[in-house]
mmCIF file of all heavy atoms in Angstrom:
data_model
loop_
_atom_site.group_PDB
_atom_site.id
_atom_site.type_symbol
_atom_site.label_atom_id
_atom_site.label_comp_id
_atom_site.label_asym_id
_atom_site.label_seq_id
_atom_site.Cartn_x
_atom_site.Cartn_y
_atom_site.Cartn_z
ATOM 1 N N ALA A 214 -25.153 12.422 13.875
ATOM 2 C CA ALA A 214 -26.536 12.093 13.547
ATOM 3 C C ALA A 214 -27.073 11.157 14.581
ATOM 4 O O ALA A 214 -26.382 10.280 15.083
ATOM 5 C CB ALA A 214 -26.654 11.446 12.130
ATOM 6 N N THR A 215 -28.325 11.331 15.010
ATOM 7 C CA THR A 215 -28.982 10.467 15.994
ATOM 8 C C THR A 215 -30.402 10.141 15.585
ATOM 9 O O THR A 215 -31.074 10.878 14.912
ATOM 10 C CB THR A 215 -29.035 11.190 17.380
ATOM 11 O OG1 THR A 215 -29.885 12.359 17.281
ATOM 12 C CG2 THR A 215 -27.683 11.648 17.853
ATOM 13 N N THR A 216 -30.841 8.940 15.991
ATOM 14 C CA THR A 216 -32.264 8.549 15.933
ATOM 15 C C THR A 216 -32.703 8.284 17.363
ATOM 16 O O THR A 216 -31.906 7.819 18.217
ATOM 17 C CB THR A 216 -32.498 7.346 15.031
ATOM 18 O OG1 THR A 216 -31.728 6.245 15.519
ATOM 19 C CG2 THR A 216 -32.134 7.612 13.605
ATOM 20 N N THR A 217 -33.984 8.489 17.659
ATOM 21 C CA THR A 217 -34.489 8.337 19.002
ATOM 22 C C THR A 217 -35.826 7.569 18.992
ATOM 23 O O THR A 217 -36.411 7.368 17.933
ATOM 24 C CB THR A 217 -34.716 9.710 19.654
ATOM 25 O OG1 THR A 217 -35.678 10.449 18.904
ATOM 26 C CG2 THR A 217 -33.420 10.519 19.691
ATOM 27 N N LYS A 218 -36.224 7.241 20.198
ATOM 28 C CA LYS A 218 -37.489 6.553 20.381
ATOM 29 C C LYS A 218 -38.690 7.444 20.026
ATOM 30 O O LYS A 218 -39.811 6.922 19.794
ATOM 31 C CB LYS A 218 -37.620 6.108 21.870
ATOM 32 C CG LYS A 218 -38.684 5.096 22.105
ATOM 33 C CD LYS A 218 -38.633 4.605 23.519
ATOM 34 C CE LYS A 218 -39.707 3.527 23.825
ATOM 35 N NZ LYS A 218 -39.677 3.033 25.189
ATOM 36 N N GLU A 219 -38.507 8.722 19.933
ATOM 37 C CA GLU A 219 -39.596 9.637 19.524
ATOM 38 C C GLU A 219 -39.765 9.652 17.983
ATOM 39 O O GLU A 219 -40.443 10.560 17.492
ATOM 40 C CB GLU A 219 -39.330 11.053 20.075
ATOM 41 C CG GLU A 219 -37.946 11.540 19.701
ATOM 42 C CD GLU A 219 -37.604 12.906 20.349
ATOM 43 O OE1 GLU A 219 -38.492 13.738 20.412
ATOM 44 O OE2 GLU A 219 -36.472 13.021 20.796
ATOM 45 N N LYS A 220 -39.064 8.738 17.306
ATOM 46 C CA LYS A 220 -39.147 8.577 15.826
ATOM 47 C C LYS A 220 -38.573 9.797 15.085
ATOM 48 O O LYS A 220 -39.183 10.268 14.080
ATOM 49 C CB LYS A 220 -40.627 8.328 15.466
ATOM 50 C CG LYS A 220 -41.237 7.107 16.125
ATOM 51 C CD LYS A 220 -42.715 6.984 15.677
ATOM 52 C CE LYS A 220 -43.393 5.833 16.502
ATOM 53 N NZ LYS A 220 -44.798 5.730 16.104
ATOM 54 N N LYS A 221 -37.506 10.324 15.618
ATOM 55 C CA LYS A 221 -36.897 11.493 15.008
ATOM 56 C C LYS A 221 -35.443 11.203 14.571
ATOM 57 O O LYS A 221 -34.730 10.498 15.238
ATOM 58 C CB LYS A 221 -36.843 12.679 16.014
ATOM 59 C CG LYS A 221 -38.235 13.250 16.341
ATOM 60 C CD LYS A 221 -38.827 14.080 15.153
ATOM 61 C CE LYS A 221 -40.107 14.752 15.574
ATOM 62 N NZ LYS A 221 -40.693 15.483 14.454
ATOM 63 N N LEU A 222 -35.084 11.814 13.445
ATOM 64 C CA LEU A 222 -33.692 11.756 12.970
ATOM 65 C C LEU A 222 -33.147 13.225 13.088
ATOM 66 O O LEU A 222 -33.774 14.151 12.558
ATOM 67 C CB LEU A 222 -33.628 11.290 11.563
ATOM 68 C CG LEU A 222 -32.295 11.451 10.808
ATOM 69 C CD1 LEU A 222 -31.167 10.661 11.505
ATOM 70 C CD2 LEU A 222 -32.431 11.032 9.317
ATOM 71 N N ARG A 223 -32.031 13.360 13.760
ATOM 72 C CA ARG A 223 -31.416 14.723 13.930
ATOM 73 C C ARG A 223 -29.955 14.705 13.526
ATOM 74 O O ARG A 223 -29.285 13.710 13.659
ATOM 75 C CB ARG A 223 -31.534 15.157 15.408
ATOM 76 C CG ARG A 223 -32.923 15.328 15.919
ATOM 77 C CD ARG A 223 -32.900 15.779 17.408
ATOM 78 N NE ARG A 223 -34.232 16.097 17.906
ATOM 79 C CZ ARG A 223 -35.068 15.221 18.518
ATOM 80 N NH1 ARG A 223 -34.625 13.974 18.627
ATOM 81 N NH2 ARG A 223 -36.261 15.573 18.932
ATOM 82 N N ILE A 224 -29.532 15.840 13.030
ATOM 83 C CA ILE A 224 -28.174 16.129 12.746
ATOM 84 C C ILE A 224 -27.692 17.286 13.602
ATOM 85 O O ILE A 224 -28.289 18.350 13.495
ATOM 86 C CB ILE A 224 -27.870 16.348 11.262
ATOM 87 C CG1 ILE A 224 -28.280 15.054 10.464
ATOM 88 C CG2 ILE A 224 -26.431 16.705 10.977
ATOM 89 C CD1 ILE A 224 -28.108 15.226 8.986
ATOM 90 N N LEU A 225 -26.612 17.102 14.375
ATOM 91 C CA LEU A 225 -26.147 18.132 15.311
ATOM 92 C C LEU A 225 -24.706 18.527 14.969
ATOM 93 O O LEU A 225 -23.954 17.685 14.448
ATOM 94 C CB LEU A 225 -26.218 17.592 16.759
ATOM 95 C CG LEU A 225 -27.523 16.953 17.247
ATOM 96 C CD1 LEU A 225 -27.268 16.328 18.596
ATOM 97 C CD2 LEU A 225 -28.616 17.980 17.261
ATOM 98 N N ASP A 226 -24.395 19.756 15.327
ATOM 99 C CA ASP A 226 -22.947 20.144 15.264
ATOM 100 C C ASP A 226 -22.213 19.511 16.378
ATOM 101 O O ASP A 226 -22.604 19.531 17.538
ATOM 102 C CB ASP A 226 -22.871 21.700 15.364
ATOM 103 C CG ASP A 226 -21.432 22.204 15.203
ATOM 104 O OD1 ASP A 226 -20.665 21.974 16.131
ATOM 105 O OD2 ASP A 226 -21.126 22.768 14.153
ATOM 106 N N ALA A 227 -21.128 18.805 16.083
ATOM 107 C CA ALA A 227 -20.482 17.956 17.084
ATOM 108 C C ALA A 227 -19.875 18.783 18.210
ATOM 109 O O ALA A 227 -19.711 18.292 19.354
ATOM 110 C CB ALA A 227 -19.416 17.098 16.435
ATOM 111 N N ARG A 228 -19.444 20.032 17.922
ATOM 112 C CA ARG A 228 -18.772 20.795 18.964
ATOM 113 C C ARG A 228 -19.692 21.684 19.767
ATOM 114 O O ARG A 228 -19.597 21.824 20.956
ATOM 115 C CB ARG A 228 -17.692 21.659 18.304
ATOM 116 C CG ARG A 228 -16.458 20.883 17.744
ATOM 117 C CD ARG A 228 -15.365 21.829 17.406
ATOM 118 N NE ARG A 228 -14.201 21.088 16.886
ATOM 119 C CZ ARG A 228 -13.916 20.763 15.629
ATOM 120 N NH1 ARG A 228 -14.812 21.122 14.709
ATOM 121 N NH2 ARG A 228 -12.855 20.123 15.269
ATOM 122 N N THR A 229 -20.703 22.232 19.079
ATOM 123 C CA THR A 229 -21.653 23.196 19.768
ATOM 124 C C THR A 229 -22.901 22.503 20.208
ATOM 125 O O THR A 229 -23.625 22.967 21.140
ATOM 126 C CB THR A 229 -21.983 24.360 18.885
ATOM 127 O OG1 THR A 229 -22.744 23.855 17.749
ATOM 128 C CG2 THR A 229 -20.709 25.059 18.376
ATOM 129 N N GLY A 230 -23.265 21.386 19.593
ATOM 130 C CA GLY A 230 -24.546 20.707 19.930
ATOM 131 C C GLY A 230 -25.704 21.357 19.269
ATOM 132 O O GLY A 230 -26.858 20.954 19.478
ATOM 133 N N ASP A 231 -25.488 22.357 18.395
ATOM 134 C CA ASP A 231 -26.591 23.063 17.702
ATOM 135 C C ASP A 231 -27.296 22.103 16.739
ATOM 136 O O ASP A 231 -26.612 21.323 16.051
ATOM 137 C CB ASP A 231 -26.115 24.285 16.974
ATOM 138 C CG ASP A 231 -25.570 25.351 17.908
ATOM 139 O OD1 ASP A 231 -25.962 25.360 19.071
ATOM 140 O OD2 ASP A 231 -24.790 26.236 17.494
ATOM 141 N N LEU A 232 -28.606 22.267 16.656
ATOM 142 C CA LEU A 232 -29.423 21.438 15.734
ATOM 143 C C LEU A 232 -29.256 21.967 14.337
ATOM 144 O O LEU A 232 -29.539 23.154 14.042
ATOM 145 C CB LEU A 232 -30.887 21.430 16.155
ATOM 146 C CG LEU A 232 -31.847 20.609 15.309
ATOM 147 C CD1 LEU A 232 -31.499 19.129 15.438
ATOM 148 C CD2 LEU A 232 -33.279 20.877 15.708
ATOM 149 N N ILE A 233 -28.792 21.106 13.385
ATOM 150 C CA ILE A 233 -28.620 21.470 11.985
ATOM 151 C C ILE A 233 -29.811 21.085 11.201
ATOM 152 O O ILE A 233 -30.276 21.845 10.309
ATOM 153 C CB ILE A 233 -27.350 20.840 11.467
ATOM 154 C CG1 ILE A 233 -26.093 21.356 12.183
ATOM 155 C CG2 ILE A 233 -27.186 21.134 9.957
ATOM 156 C CD1 ILE A 233 -24.792 20.648 11.785
#
Side-chain angles (χ1 to χ4, degrees):
T215 63
T216 57
T217 63
K218 195 174 181 179
E219 53 187 318
K220 305 177 185 178
K221 292 288 186 180
L222 168 61
R223 295 181 176 90
I224 297 178
L225 310 173
D226 185 285
R228 291 190 178 92
T229 66
D231 294 339
L232 182 66
I233 297 174

